[in-house]
Amino acid sequence: MAKAPPLLALTPLFFFFTFFFVGAVVGWRPWPSQKPNTTDFLFGGSKKYEGSSEFVHLKYHMGPVLTANITVYPIWYGVWKKSQKRIIREFISSFSAVDSKTPSVSGWWKTVRLYTDQTGANISRNVHIGEEKNDRFYSHGKSLTRLSVQSVIKSAVTATTRPLPINPKSGVYLLLTSDNVYVQDFCNNVCGFHYFTFPAIVGYTLPYAWVGNSAKLCPGICAYPFAVPEYIPGLKAVKSPNDDVGVDGMISVIGHEIAELSTNPLVNAWYAGQDPVFPVEIADLCEGIYGTGGGGSYTGQMLNGKDGATYNMNGIRRRFLVQWVWNPLVNYCTGPNALD
């Protein structure tokens, strides 16, 4: 029998206080002249722009990963247009759409699938959308804390009518907040985060992620490069591929969080660094990198459509801009649109 990793020996009370005072595993997005990607913080300027095999030490800490068919349960908090829901649904459905035009979202997911558990089983090939829940009347208000985010999820799985299924082994509960909802630390370098629910609040331990629509609050931070910060004169935004700056900006954050939830659902599996309270995960290592040469404030080489839109991969019918993830075989960031 394998010895339990140190993190598993920590008490639930430790996780509660860690979450309350420190916060969940966050995904922030850099913008020009402001924030480099996470590997810059960890390893200084001696890294390659697309990651460094010499300085990045991603390790497996023996915890579970999502090897069974993954079901994403969207929770639409606030008011959402049908067109916005369609964009996000197609992006998630594209993870397993192997027939998409290259470079593809499914090609990007192949890198995530390289990660394994203790038995050698890979992250699941199959990702699909399960039941959905609408919370259009803001049941917990328009300003959420990290803990009230879990209360929203509790409401979704315990609703008297059409509750979401309880799926702790392969479910991803994706809370999406509309553009008039503020979540604790939103826009303060945080555009999304993931963690797991506490039984004391929700009744179950469920991997979940939150991602917010930044269109009204901070598009220059969380929807970059489709919007740019006002304090950087002369910088021009690029055209979003689905004509919705807020939602197109959410897409990469959603990809970031699902990739990390799949490889580190209970914050005790795949991450770099010595501190499980502040794990640096497979998407954090490639934050802000969308193409060859990317790093720091440079996104890397992306693709331009005939309509002038900027993207780097194709879905089933749509185009998306999605950040790269860390490839454990070559020890640097890779993506399906990489140049030879």
Side-chain angles (χ1 to χ4, degrees):
M1 179 179 294
K3 183 179 180 181
L7 189 60
L8 288 177
L10 299 176
T11 66
L13 189 62
F14 168 84
F15 285 115
F16 180 86
F17 282 107
T18 296
F19 182 86
F20 186 80
F21 291 109
V22 177
V25 182
V26 300
W28 53 268
R29 298 181 69 185
W31 54 97
S33 305
Q34 184 70 15
K35 294 287 184 183
N37 53 292
T38 304
T39 43
D40 291 326
F41 285 120
L42 285 177
F43 310 108
S46 57
K47 58 179 280 297
K48 298 177 183 177
Y49 276 124
E50 293 161 29
S52 171
S53 59
E54 298 177 70
F55 298 100
V56 175
H57 300 289
L58 188 73
K59 295 181 179 180
Y60 178 50
H61 299 266
M62 305 303 287
V65 301
L66 301 187
T67 58
N69 292 345
I70 298 170
T71 303
V72 179
Y73 302 103
I75 302 171
W76 306 95
Y77 193 85
V79 178
W80 290 87
K81 297 177 182 178
K82 291 182 179 180
S83 60
Q84 295 176 321
K85 290 183 177 181
R86 283 195 295 267
I87 294 169
I88 293 173
R89 288 185 187 122
E90 180 172 324
F91 172 61
I92 297 170
S93 298
S94 296
F95 285 28
S96 302
V98 295
D99 294 330
S100 298
K101 179 182 177 182
T102 57
S104 66
V105 174
S106 62
W108 168 84
W109 186 249
K110 284 182 180 179
T111 302
V112 180
R113 292 196 60 245
L114 295 174
Y115 292 86
T116 62
D117 65 8
Q118 297 182 50
T119 70
N122 293 85
I123 301 296
S124 177
R125 178 197 310 271
N126 300 312
V127 181
H128 71 276
I129 297 177
E131 290 87 336
E132 305 180 24
K133 196 67 178 175
N134 292 297
D135 195 336
R136 62 178 63 89
F137 298 113
Y138 312 93
S139 64
H140 291 74
K142 293 184 178 181
S143 182
L144 303 176
T145 65
R146 293 178 183 269
L147 288 180
S148 63
V149 161
Q150 296 204 18
S151 296
V152 173
I153 296 172
K154 177 183 179 180
S155 296
V157 299
T158 61
T160 55
T161 58
R162 304 175 70 179
L164 293 182
I166 303 300
N167 184 0
K169 291 187 177 180
S170 60
V172 170
Y173 296 80
L174 181 61
L175 176 59
L176 304 166
T177 51
S178 58
D179 59 13
N180 59 345
V181 176
Y182 176 77
V183 174
Q184 182 180 350
D185 296 325
F186 193 20
C187 301
N188 184 23
N189 294 352
V190 175
C191 305
F193 60 73
H194 75 87
Y195 211 62
F196 52 87
T197 61
F198 303 129
I201 297 176
V202 179
Y204 308 91
T205 300
L206 304 173
Y208 77 91
W210 159 75
V211 179
N213 187 336
S214 67
K216 293 181 179 178
L217 296 174
C218 56
I221 297 173
C222 292
Y224 179 81
F226 305 127
V228 297
E230 296 179 356
Y231 54 80
I232 303 181
L235 185 65
K236 293 183 179 180
V238 300
K239 177 179 171 59
S240 67
N242 298 290
D243 296 317
D244 191 310
V245 168
V247 173
D248 276 318
M250 292 177 71
I251 291 298
S252 189
V253 187
I254 292 171
H256 178 125
E257 301 304 337
I258 293 180
E260 293 185 343
L261 262 181
S262 300
T263 55
N264 198 27
L266 299 182
V267 200
N268 60 0
W270 288 96
Y271 62 87
Q274 301 302 314
D275 189 352
V277 175
F278 297 99
V280 179
E281 300 169 282
I282 72 166
D284 298 325
L285 290 166
C286 306
E287 188 65 64
I289 297 176
Y290 300 88
T292 301
S297 60
Y298 176 52
T299 59
Q301 297 188 48
M302 301 177 290
L303 303 174
N304 293 311
K306 294 180 179 180
D307 59 352
T310 297
Y311 66 104
N312 67 345
M313 54 190 78
N314 297 286
I316 298 171
R317 289 173 297 273
R318 299 175 185 270
R319 298 164 299 175
F320 303 102
L321 183 67
V322 186
Q323 70 151 93
W324 287 7
V325 292
W326 190 260
N327 186 316
L329 298 184
V330 296
N331 283 338
Y332 53 80
C333 302
T334 61
N337 60 309
L339 301 178
D340 294 333

